[in-house]
């Protein structure tokens, strides 16, 4: 209770990090040289083929050669069936599964990579530090400059109620965490969505306290102001920095707080008829499609 928002957040992250390191088991990543469709049956027939080839190499008997060729044909058939079965099961999951896109990317000849990028002097570089500097300079140049002048006075809309109190209750925080995708990339705090979902009942109260302190004090923890910026290639030449767009990976806990505040503001504006019916962007159950349909109806 005696800590501010920043101190409370640092205590929270340190506790999570220590408990994660102590209790969350780690495992070795899958061998990248082993195809994802490889099964135990495929590995068994491949080992059999290797044994028969080794035996034929020592005897040079025609009978042993036929046994080896028979095993070789069996391997080809088993591998073909394993690939077909894997791709069939993967296609049933569709594009909602991350493995679907990962497998499709692995089958393409062009591999996603950054650079080499053109430097200002006309040369090209593939050095990590220089590539980061070039991308950072370009991304910084296209950011919108915020005005530093006084904020203009807004015309107050008529409303019977005022949104002067916002609660961060535990049930709302738990529901927000439940909606997180387990594979969502974490921000600079390295707290993953999987960890949050597993301990949502235990951390809902601490997060509600931190959110409340942040809102009441008008202070945002430093970790929430940072982001891991990932360049994504758009189109054109990969050597031009202006053909990349930035993706910012921020703290998931900060996103949860932002989502709760956003829902409260939208509900207040909607319940008090403070948003025009012509507003379709960033509204529930509305999109570009509903906007176009309404416009088409007006023309008709």
């Amino acid at each position: 209770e005696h800590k501010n928002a920043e101190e409370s957040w640092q205590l929270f992250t340190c506790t999570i990090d220590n408990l994660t390191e102590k209790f969350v088991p780690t495992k070795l990543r899958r061998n990248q040289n082993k195809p994802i469709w490889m099964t135990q049956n495929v590995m068994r027939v491949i080992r059999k083929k290797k044994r028969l080839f080794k035996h034929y190499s020592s005897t040079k008997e025609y009978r042993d050669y036929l046994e080896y060729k028979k095993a070789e044909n069996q391997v080809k058939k088993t591998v073909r069936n394993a690939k077909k079965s894997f791709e069939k099961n993967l296609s049933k999951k569709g594009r909602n599964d991350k493995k679907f896109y990962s497998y499709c990317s692995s089958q393409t000849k062009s591999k996603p990579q950054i650079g080499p990028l053109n430097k200002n002097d006309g040369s090209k570089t593939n050095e990590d530090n220089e590539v980061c500097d070039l991308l950072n300079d370009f991304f910084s140049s296209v950011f919108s400059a915020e005005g530093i002048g006084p904020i203009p006075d807004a015309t107050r809309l008529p409303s019977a109620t005022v949104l002067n109190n916002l609660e961060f209750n535990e049930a709302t925080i738990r529901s927000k965490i439940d909606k997180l995708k387990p594979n969502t990339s974490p921000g600079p705090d390295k707290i993953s969505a999987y960890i949050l979902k597993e301990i949502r009942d235990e951390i809902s109260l601490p997060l509600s306290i931190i959110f409340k302190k942040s809102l009441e004090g008008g202070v945002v923890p430093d970790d929430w102001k940072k982001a891991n910026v990932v360049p994504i290639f758009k189109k054109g030449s990969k050597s031009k920095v202006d053909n990349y767009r930035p993706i910012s990976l921020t703290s998931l806990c900060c996103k949860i707080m932002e989502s709760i505040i956003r829902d409260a503001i939208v509900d207040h504006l909607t319940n008090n008829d403070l948003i025009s019916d012509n507003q379709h962007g960033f509204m529930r159950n509305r999109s570009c499609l509903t906007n176009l349909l309404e416009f088409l109806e007006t023309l008709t």
Side-chain angles (χ1 to χ4, degrees), residues 21-282:
E21 183 178 357
K22 184 176 181 180
F23 293 106
V24 177
T26 58
K27 66 177 181 179
L28 295 176
R29 297 185 64 183
R30 183 180 61 84
N31 185 5
Q32 298 299 322
N33 296 326
K34 177 182 174 182
I36 194 173
W37 45 261
M38 182 71 72
T39 62
Q40 293 293 333
N41 186 38
V42 175
M43 296 175 63
R44 181 179 57 81
V45 295
I46 290 177
R47 287 194 297 266
K48 180 180 178 181
K49 186 194 75 169
K50 290 181 179 180
R51 289 196 304 268
L52 292 176
F53 178 77
K54 185 178 180 180
H55 181 67
Y56 163 70
S57 299
S58 61
T59 62
K60 297 299 182 180
E61 294 286 341
Y62 182 69
R63 180 181 59 186
D64 297 332
Y65 173 76
L66 293 180
E67 289 292 330
Y68 161 71
K69 293 301 293 183
K70 182 179 178 181
E72 185 180 40
N73 294 333
Q74 181 65 25
V75 168
K76 293 180 180 179
K77 181 179 179 181
T78 307
V79 168
R80 184 168 58 250
N81 292 337
K83 285 184 177 180
K84 185 185 298 184
S85 177
F86 173 79
E87 293 175 351
K88 185 177 180 180
N89 294 331
L90 196 64
S91 63
K92 292 180 180 179
K93 299 180 181 179
R95 59 183 192 174
N96 293 328
D97 196 312
K98 196 173 182 179
K99 293 182 180 180
F100 178 83
Y101 293 101
S102 177
Y103 181 72
C104 291
S105 299
S106 66
Q107 300 304 304
T108 58
K109 293 182 179 180
S110 59
K111 302 300 180 182
Q113 62 179 7
I114 301 173
L117 298 179
N118 295 331
K119 300 173 64 176
N120 296 330
D121 57 4
S123 61
K124 293 186 177 182
T125 179
N126 209 16
E127 296 293 332
D128 292 341
N129 292 337
E130 294 181 351
V131 168
C132 288
D133 290 338
L134 290 173
L135 291 171
N136 182 60
D137 293 340
F138 171 69
F139 293 156
S140 301
S141 65
V142 297
F143 284 158
S144 300
E146 297 183 1
I148 57 177
I151 300 177
D153 295 332
T155 303
R156 186 175 181 84
L157 297 176
S159 175
T161 60
V162 178
L163 181 61
N164 55 10
N165 185 24
L166 180 60
E167 295 183 359
F168 298 100
N169 56 68
E170 300 177 44
T172 304
I173 294 176
R174 281 196 295 267
S175 64
K176 291 293 183 181
I177 296 177
D178 283 335
K179 295 178 182 179
L180 292 176
K181 296 181 180 179
N183 294 327
T184 302
S185 299
D189 55 18
K190 299 181 181 180
I191 301 179
S192 65
Y194 189 86
I195 294 293
L196 293 177
K197 292 175 72 69
E198 288 293 322
I199 59 175
R200 57 186 177 274
D201 294 331
E202 288 77 14
I203 64 173
S204 57
L205 177 58
L207 285 179
S208 66
I209 297 175
I210 295 174
F211 294 164
K212 183 178 180 181
K213 289 183 177 181
S214 177
L215 186 64
E216 292 178 349
V219 177
V220 177
D222 291 338
D223 287 345
W224 296 1
K225 303 176 185 178
K226 301 175 183 178
N228 293 331
V229 181
V230 180
I232 303 297
F233 176 70
K234 296 186 294 185
K235 61 180 180 179
S237 174
K238 289 189 176 182
S239 60
K240 296 182 179 180
V241 293
D242 52 356
N243 287 334
Y244 294 85
R245 63 184 178 93
I247 295 291
S248 297
L249 304 178
T250 56
S251 172
L252 295 177
C253 295
C254 179
K255 291 180 180 179
I256 293 174
M257 179 179 176
E258 291 174 349
S259 178
I260 296 175
I261 296 176
R262 185 260 183 193
D263 291 345
I265 294 176
V266 172
D267 290 341
H268 174 75
L269 297 177
T270 304
N271 296 334
N272 292 277
D273 296 328
L274 299 177
I275 296 183
S276 171
D277 290 336
N278 296 325
Q279 175 69 30
H280 289 260
F282 306 102

